[in-house]
Amino acid sequence: MVTIVDVAKHAGVAPSTVSYVLTGKRPVSAETRLRVRESIRLLGYHPHAGARALASSRTNVLALVLPLREGVHLPVVMRFVTSVVTAAREHDMDVLLVTADQGAAGLRRVAVGARVDGFLVMDVGLDDERIPVLRELGRPAVLLGYPAAVKGLTCVDLDFGAAGARCVDHLAELGHRSIGFLGAPGVVYARNTGFAQRTLAGFSAAVMRRGIASTALPVEQRRDAVHAVVATLLRELPRMTALVVHNEAVLGWVVDCLRAAGRRVPDDVAVVAICPDELAEQLRLTSVELPSEVLGRRAVELLMAKLNGQQPPPLTLLPPNLSSRTGFAASAAG
Amino acid sequence: MVTIVDVAKHAGVAPSTVSYVLTGKRPVSAETRLRVRESIRLLGYHPHAGARALASSRTNVLALVLPLREGVHLPVVMRFVTSVVTAAREHDMDVLLVTADQGAAGLRRVAVGARVDGFLVMDVGLDDERIPVLRELGRPAVLLGYPAAVKGLTCVDLDFGAAGARCVDHLAELGHRSIGFLGAPGVVYARNTGFAQRTLAGFSAAVMRRGIASTALPVEQRRDAVHAVVATLLRELPRMTALVVHNEAVLGWVVDCLRAAGRRVPDDVAVVAICPDELAEQLRLTSVELPSEVLGRRAVELLMAKLNGQQPPPLTLLPPNLSSRTGFAASAAG
DNA sequence: GTGAAAGCGCTAACAA
DNA sequence: TTGTTAGCGCTTTCAC
C-alpha cells in the first residue's frame, strides 16, 4: 500500500508537507506543491480514510437518513438521493445510508462511532422522535421538512403552504370559483406529517380569503379508492371547475377518472398538481414543482456550512414554482 | 469521548481484553466478558470506526453502486436498497452509496482510500465497463446482473430466461396458442442490458419449442406510445389471447389500453407480468415476481462470504416464482 | 485466560 | 516555507 511517507520520500519532502498539499491548511510553495502532486499521481496515492478520520476527527462522510415507509413516493426519494450524493461529492464527501427503521439507535451508533460528520434527515414529521436524539448527539444536522419548533435546528423544505395558496391564486386568476382538493392518503395526515398539512392549510386559507367554494379529501393509493373519491367530489362540489391534487402516486388515475366521468381535462376541470415536474410534464398538467434536486443540493450546502462552523438560519423555505401547461391534453385510453 | 481504555479501566481489565470481548477473536471467561459488557453499556462506549479501520484494515462498510439512469424502475431500486441496508446491518455492516455516474474513478477512490471492504454493483450490463476496474482493484465484489463472462466474478440475478419461459409455460398449460410480448424501451435492449435480453430469449425459445404464435415489441414509457404499441400488437397478432409484459412502468397503461380496445382482461386477453409482486397484486395480474428483497439479501450474504475468505460460485440464479391471480379483475375507469 | 506494547497512516502543534 | 514528532483509538502479536 502506498502511504503518505512513500509520497513524501518520492517527492523529497516531509510527510506533513504532503498532508498540507492535500488539505490546503497551510501554504505550500508552488514548486513543491507541483512536485508533490506529481508524486501522488505517479504512485497512485489515496489517503487512508480511517487514518485520516482518526487523526483529524473528520470522516468526510455524511449520513443520509431515509424514510422508506408507506405514503412516500419512491421516485421522489431517489431523485433526492441522487442530488444529495452528487452535491456531497462536490464537497469531497461520501454518503452513508441510514434507513429510518434503524431509528434513534442507528443515529447514535454512527455518530458516536465517529462514522459520519453530520446528518441529513429526510421526511421529518411535525413531532419527530429523532429530533431530541439529534440534539443530544450534538452533531451537525439538516432536516428535510420541519417540526413545530425549529429553534436550534436547521431545516429546509419547499414552502408547501405557499404552494397550496399558489395553486388557488393561479386558478382564481383564471376565473375558477369552485375548486376541489385531493390530498395524500389519510394515514399521512394522521401521522402529523408537515408537508401534507401545510399544503392543505395554505389551500384552505387561500380559498377562504377569496370566498371560493371548496372541498378537500384524502386519497388512498388504490385505483378503486381514486374512482370513489372522484365520484364523491363531483357529487359534493357539483359546480367544481378546477382541482388541486397533492398526491403524485394517484395523479394519473385522477385524470383518468375525471375523463371516465365525462369531464374533459383541462376544459371542464382544470387540474393543478403539486408533484415532480417530470410527472406533470408527462401528463401535460399545470403544476407546482416538487424540487427534489434543489432541496437535496441545498441541504448538503447547509450541512457543509454547519461543518465549517457557520450557523445558518433555522428554516429555509423554497418558494413554490408554478409551471402553466396549457398545451393539448394527452388523451389515449379512458 | 469514551475510549477502549476508559472501558478497560472501568472493568479492571486490559484494553486488549475489551477488544476481544467485542470481536470474539479469542476466548474470554464468561465472568470478565460480563463485566466488560456492563462497563460498555454503562459508559455508552462505541468503538471509533476510523481507529478500528486503521488497526484492522477492515471498515465494516460496503459500497452500494447504484445505476439511476433511464429505464431503471426507481421503486424497484429502492426496495433493493432497503433490503441491502437491512441485511448489511445484520452483519454489522454499514452502506456507502456510490452512484454509477462517479464511474470507475469513484470505485477506485473508495477502494484505495480504504473506505469500504467490498462492493455491491447493481444493474450490471452484458459488457460492463466497471468489471475490469473491479478486477484490477481486487476488492471483493458481488454483481447484480451478470456479464457475458462470469469467470472469477460473483454474480446474482433472477433467472430472467427461465422467467420468460415460465410465463409461456403457464399460458400454454391454460391453452393459449397466440401470445404477445411487450418489453422494455428500445434503448434498454440497445444498451445490451442482460435482464431484458435474457427474458426475451427465454420467451422466444419457449414459444418456438411449443409452436406458439407470438410477436414481441419494445415499449417506451409514454402513454401514447403504449397506446400505439398495443394497437400494433392487436393488429399483428389478431388471434392473441395472452400477453407477457416485462415493463413495470407501463403495465397499468397496457391493461388500460387493452380494455379501451374492447378486450376484457383477463377474459379475452390473459396478461402475465414480470414485475414486483406489489404492483401485480394491485392490478390483480398473474406475475413472475421481481424479488428485489431476496436479491439484495442474497447479494449481501455472498459478499460477506467473500469477505470471510470463501469463494462462492460465480453465478447464482434465483428460480422464477409465478403467482397466479385469477380473482376478479379490478375495473374502474377505462 | 489475560496483559503489555508496538504499530496502523495520518494530522497538527511545535520548531526552525 | 518546511521539517520533526507526538499522538488519534484500536487491534494484534508476543509474553505470561
Side-chain angles (χ1 to χ4, degrees), chain A residues 90-157:
Chain A
E90 287 167 17
H91 294 272
D92 198 30
M93 286 270 159
D94 274 300
V95 175
L96 193 80
L97 216 57
V98 180
T99 50
D101 65 282
Q102 297 180 44
L107 299 188
R108 189 169 282 116
R109 188 180 56 78
V110 296
V112 180
R115 250 167 231 282
V116 301
D117 295 330
F119 291 94
L120 240 51
V121 186
M122 262 198 90
D123 196 35
V124 171
L126 282 176
D127 51 355
D128 203 295
E129 49 143 24
R130 294 167 295 186
I131 289 169
V133 183
L134 286 170
R135 287 193 198 271
E136 171 208 327
L137 291 174
R139 284 272 188 297
V142 172
L143 313 185
L144 262 106
Y146 55 103
V150 295
K151 192 168 175 203
L153 302 174
T154 307
C155 309
V156 221
D157 209 350

Side-chain angles (χ1 to χ4, degrees), chain A residues 119-317:
Chain A
F119 291 94
L120 240 51
V121 186
M122 262 198 90
D123 196 35
V124 171
L126 282 176
D127 51 355
D128 203 295
E129 49 143 24
R130 294 167 295 186
I131 289 169
V133 183
L134 286 170
R135 287 193 198 271
E136 171 208 327
L137 291 174
R139 284 272 188 297
V142 172
L143 313 185
L144 262 106
Y146 55 103
V150 295
K151 192 168 175 203
L153 302 174
T154 307
C155 309
V156 221
D157 209 350
L158 172 63
D159 190 338
F160 280 99
R166 184 77 186 79
C167 296
V168 174
D169 293 344
H170 173 78
L171 292 169
E173 281 162 20
L174 294 179
H176 297 277
R177 309 302 303 159
S178 179
I179 306 178
F181 181 96
L182 294 180
V187 60
V188 173
Y189 293 92
R191 201 166 58 210
N192 228 11
T193 310
F195 75 94
Q197 299 193 352
R198 291 188 186 108
T199 307
L200 181 55
F203 172 87
S204 305
V207 289
M208 196 65 106
R209 193 166 51 235
R210 290 172 176 276
I212 287 174
S214 78
T215 297
L217 294 170
V219 188
E220 308 306 313
Q221 290 187 20
R222 296 187 326 277
R223 201 186 171 115
D224 51 344
V226 175
H227 188 63
V229 89
V230 166
T232 305
L233 198 56
L234 292 174
R235 179 161 20 83
E236 296 295 320
L237 206 59
R239 302 171 57 87
M240 177 179 85
T241 59
L243 180 57
V244 175
V245 183
H246 185 204
N247 185 331
E248 51 271 298
V250 304
L251 183 54
W253 287 340
V254 167
V255 175
D256 288 348
C257 291
L258 284 171
R259 291 190 175 131
R263 302 296 207 283
R264 287 170 305 168
V265 176
D267 312 71
D268 298 329
V269 177
V271 174
V272 177
I274 300 172
C275 72
D277 244 19
E278 195 185 46
L279 180 58
E281 190 72 57
Q282 195 178 345
L283 296 169
R284 302 278 193 282
L285 295 175
T286 294
S287 73
V288 168
E289 182 188 5
L290 218 62
S292 311
E293 278 89 357
V294 182
L295 276 172
R297 174 163 297 276
R298 183 65 72 87
V300 169
E301 279 157 9
L302 286 167
L303 186 56
M304 292 313 297
K306 292 190 91 169
L307 288 174
N308 295 327
Q310 297 169 39
Q311 188 53 262
L315 183 55
T316 305
L317 287 182

Side-chain angles (χ1 to χ4, degrees), chain B residues 4 16 19-20 25 45 52 55:
Chain B
I4 202 171
S16 55
S19 175
Y20 288 121
K25 287 188 182 170
Y45 168 70
R52 204 169 229 194

Side-chain angles (χ1 to χ4, degrees), chain B residues 4-25:
Chain B
I4 202 171
V5 175
D6 300 326
V7 176
K9 280 185 186 147
H10 187 270
V13 297
S16 55
T17 301
V18 178
S19 175
Y20 288 121
V21 167
L22 250 22
T23 62
K25 287 188 182 170

Side-chain angles (χ1 to χ4, degrees), chain B residues 38-120:
Chain B
E38 184 62 7
S39 300
I40 288 176
R41 210 183 50 75
L42 245 50
L43 302 181
Y45 168 70
H46 286 260
H48 187 290
R52 204 169 229 194
L54 182 54
S56 68
S57 34
R58 270 275 241 150
T59 64
N60 277 28
V61 176
L62 61 85
L64 178 57
V65 188
L66 290 187
L68 308 175
R69 52 186 187 185
E70 193 189 348
V72 296
H73 192 57
L74 264 14
V76 171
V77 176
M78 283 309 291
R79 300 170 81 84
F80 180 74
V81 169
T82 316
S83 76
V84 165
V85 173
T86 308
R89 285 304 310 141
E90 287 167 17
H91 294 271
D92 197 30
M93 286 270 161
D94 274 301
V95 176
L96 193 80
L97 216 57
V98 180
T99 50
D101 66 284
Q102 297 180 44
L107 299 187
R108 188 169 282 117
R109 188 179 56 79
V110 297
V112 181
R115 249 169 231 284
V116 301
D117 295 330
F119 291 94
L120 242 51

